[in-house]
Amino acid sequence: MKIAIASGKGGTGKTLISTNLFWAAQKNDQYITIVDCDAEEPNVAEFISGKGIKSTQVTQKLPIIDAQKCNLCGACYDFCNYHAIVYIPESQYIKIIEDLCHDCGACLVACKTGAITEIEKPLGSVNTAAINSHTLSIESCANVGIYSPVPVIKKAISASKNLGTVLYDAPPGISCPFIATAESADYVVLVSEPTPFGLNDLKLSVETLDHLNKKYGVVVNRAGLGDDAVYQWLKEKNITLLAEIPFDREIARIYSEGHLLVDKIPSYQSVFTQLLHNIKNQIAQ
Amino acid sequence: MKIAITSTGNNTESTIDSRFGRCTYFAIYDTETQGLEFVPNQSKDNVEGAGPASAQLVASRGVQKVISGEFGAKVKDIFDSLKIQLIVVHDDKKQIGSIIEMLNNAKN
């Protein structure tokens, strides 16, 4: 069972929900893994720490053109589906645009003069920590300045294969990093807040997940803030409200100190246990 | 000398297009012959790589200067190594005709 915790809007409480849900899951399930898929700003380790057992570098192959061997035939340019090669025969110019290269290797096949070779470009790392005998945390961590964190996220997700119940703490937004995370999940928990921004971004997330044919439900965080437009919309769309977490300064304080809510305010233990139960029911439906 | 100007339309009344890679047309003006040609930008709606593809288009036309509102980071390197000069015009109400007039005046 793989559950992604996501949100269109950043800062709605994905990590708050996923780390506390992790607590509930490790009480109930034998094997449980949490994957921090927010590779550009991973922070699950602030809340759940373990003993580092493995760190794997993620790299991308990048083609290099040897100007001595290149006869400017343009075959690599014709083969490249991603417009990553700029070819101007009039100016005897050929260049690979690093950020557009998808590491497909087609240019290597196309080149008949042996002018193209590949180098390894570091993209980030996947760091695994053992929390106890049956729980793991896997963190995706992208290097600063890389074009896309998606290859790093995918590596982290594939490292969590066959590891029992897996929670993905998804990256914010609805672009490629989110999609890379959501498409691997059996169920997506969308965390929103009852504000116009929260509702707007929730609608975008729902639209995306409908395209992906994913099951999802909603957790309203900071309930009591804003208005009731989110609730009306959920009702109208017949989307399940899985849980509500109230707007409470104390929760923000506990979170900012890197603690789990369930540890500091034990009454939330039943809230997250119930949330896990609701998610499982939804998946079973 | 040929100069490319990013344009929102295909006539001299059209205003400059503020984006290089995703402009609608390239107005290619030849200062010697005073010939003007409007080339539609085929890569305008590319998901990614519109800039490099546009750079390739104008460079393959033998352009030596490019005038636009804004250039992305990826095209800067390409134009630098091709020794094509980039000119930024911030006034997006400027019409192609008036830019050409300025180029003609500068020449004389």
Side-chain angles (χ1 to χ4, degrees):
Chain A
M1 184 170 64
K2 289 165 288 181
I3 305 162
I5 296 89
S7 75
K9 186 180 173 297
T12 50
K14 287 177 295 295
T15 306
L16 172 80
I17 302 299
S18 56
T19 52
N20 284 282
L21 192 61
F22 177 78
W23 174 90
Q26 54 119 15
K27 291 267 171 229
N28 286 282
D29 291 290
Q30 264 197 311
Y31 290 97
I32 159 95
T33 306
I34 185 162
V35 186
D36 195 340
C37 297
D38 189 0
E40 287 170 302
E41 206 164 351
N43 66 341
V44 166
E46 305 288 333
F47 303 90
I48 297 167
S49 53
K51 188 176 170 292
I53 51 172
K54 199 175 164 191
S55 180
T56 315
Q57 293 302 309
V58 184
T59 58
Q60 178 194 356
K61 286 202 176 72
L62 202 65
I64 300 288
I65 300 174
D66 181 343
Q68 303 296 314
K69 291 186 187 163
C70 175
N71 64 357
L72 287 160
C73 71
C76 57
Y77 164 77
D78 290 335
F79 265 56
C80 182
N81 223 350
Y82 303 101
H83 312 290
I85 298 175
V86 177
Y87 172 54
I88 307 162
E90 295 86 346
S91 311
Q92 303 218 325
Y93 181 84
I94 191 148
K95 186 176 191 266
I96 288 160
I97 309 290
E98 251 186 57
D99 289 348
L100 296 177
C101 176
H102 281 55
D103 184 9
C104 73
C107 54
L108 233 76
V109 177
C111 185
K112 297 297 174 217
T113 60
I116 301 182
T117 50
E118 288 180 316
I119 55 159
E120 298 269 341
K121 177 188 172 187
L123 298 177
S125 58
V126 170
N127 309 309
T128 305
I131 294 146
N132 56 43
S133 60
H134 62 282
T135 56
L136 284 178
S137 93
I138 299 175
E139 176 189 77
S140 64
C141 187
N143 290 351
V144 173
I146 62 161
Y147 186 65
S148 166
V150 168
V152 186
I153 295 170
K154 286 191 168 166
K155 264 282 161 43
I157 288 175
S158 74
S160 71
K161 252 182 202 156
N162 309 319
L163 288 175
T165 299
V166 183
L167 302 182
Y168 303 134
D169 188 27
I174 54 164
S175 61
C176 305
F178 161 72
I179 291 171
T181 307
E183 72 178 357
S184 311
D186 301 312
Y187 189 82
V188 181
V189 176
L190 290 171
V191 185
S192 189
E193 55 178 32
T195 63
F197 297 120
L199 177 57
N200 178 72
D201 294 353
L202 176 63
K203 285 178 179 171
L204 296 174
S205 313
V206 161
E207 205 181 307
T208 312
L209 292 176
D210 282 342
H211 270 291
L212 295 173
N213 261 328
K214 287 289 165 187
K215 282 186 178 180
Y216 53 86
V218 170
V219 171
V220 173
N221 188 23
R222 303 198 189 98
L225 184 76
D227 53 31
D228 65 352
V230 164
Y231 300 100
Q232 281 176 13
W233 188 76
L234 291 178
K235 202 176 260 177
E236 196 184 300
K237 293 283 169 186
N238 208 11
I239 297 170
T240 309
L241 176 61
L242 296 163
E244 281 182 275
I245 308 294
F247 179 53
D248 179 355
R249 202 185 154 81
E250 186 60 11
I251 297 178
R253 195 184 60 77
I254 292 168
Y255 182 83
S256 70
E257 289 172 354
H259 299 301
L260 290 183
L261 188 54
V262 289
D263 285 337
K264 296 292 169 184
I265 311 180
S267 61
Y268 278 105
Q269 294 180 359
S270 61
V271 173
F272 283 94
T273 305
Q274 186 62 44
L275 171 60
L276 184 67
H277 182 75
N278 291 348
I279 294 168
K280 285 183 174 172
N281 278 346
Q282 289 277 310
I283 295 173
Q285 260 176 31
Chain B
M1 176 177 47
K2 281 189 182 174
I3 299 171
I5 310 162
T6 55
S7 173
T8 53
N10 61 357
N11 61 68
T12 50
E13 314 269 282
S14 312
T15 52
I16 184 168
D17 200 315
S18 58
R19 304 150 312 162
F20 170 72
R22 297 186 186 279
C23 69
T24 311
Y25 285 92
F26 293 101
I28 298 180
Y29 179 64
D30 189 325
T31 53
E32 266 103 72
T33 65
Q34 306 216 330
L36 177 64
E37 186 191 359
F38 286 87
V39 181
N41 183 3
Q42 310 281 5
S43 38
K44 149 183 198 296
D45 296 320
N46 279 8
V47 178
E48 46 183 13
S54 298
Q56 177 166 325
L57 176 81
V58 295
S60 62
R61 298 246 168 181
V63 157
Q64 281 169 276
K65 288 184 186 191
V66 185
I67 303 175
S68 185
E70 205 178 312
F71 296 92
K74 289 191 204 95
V75 302
K76 180 80 173 59
D77 283 351
I78 300 170
F79 283 130
D80 279 353
S81 45
L82 290 168
K83 304 210 164 25
I84 293 174
Q85 189 189 1
L86 305 182
I87 299 166
V88 175
V89 173
H90 286 301
D91 180 5
D92 59 8
K93 290 188 186 67
K94 205 88 177 157
Q95 292 179 336
I96 301 304
S98 95
I99 294 174
I100 288 174
E101 214 169 287
M102 284 164 71
L103 290 169
N104 288 337
N105 289 340
K107 202 178 66 168
N108 298 329

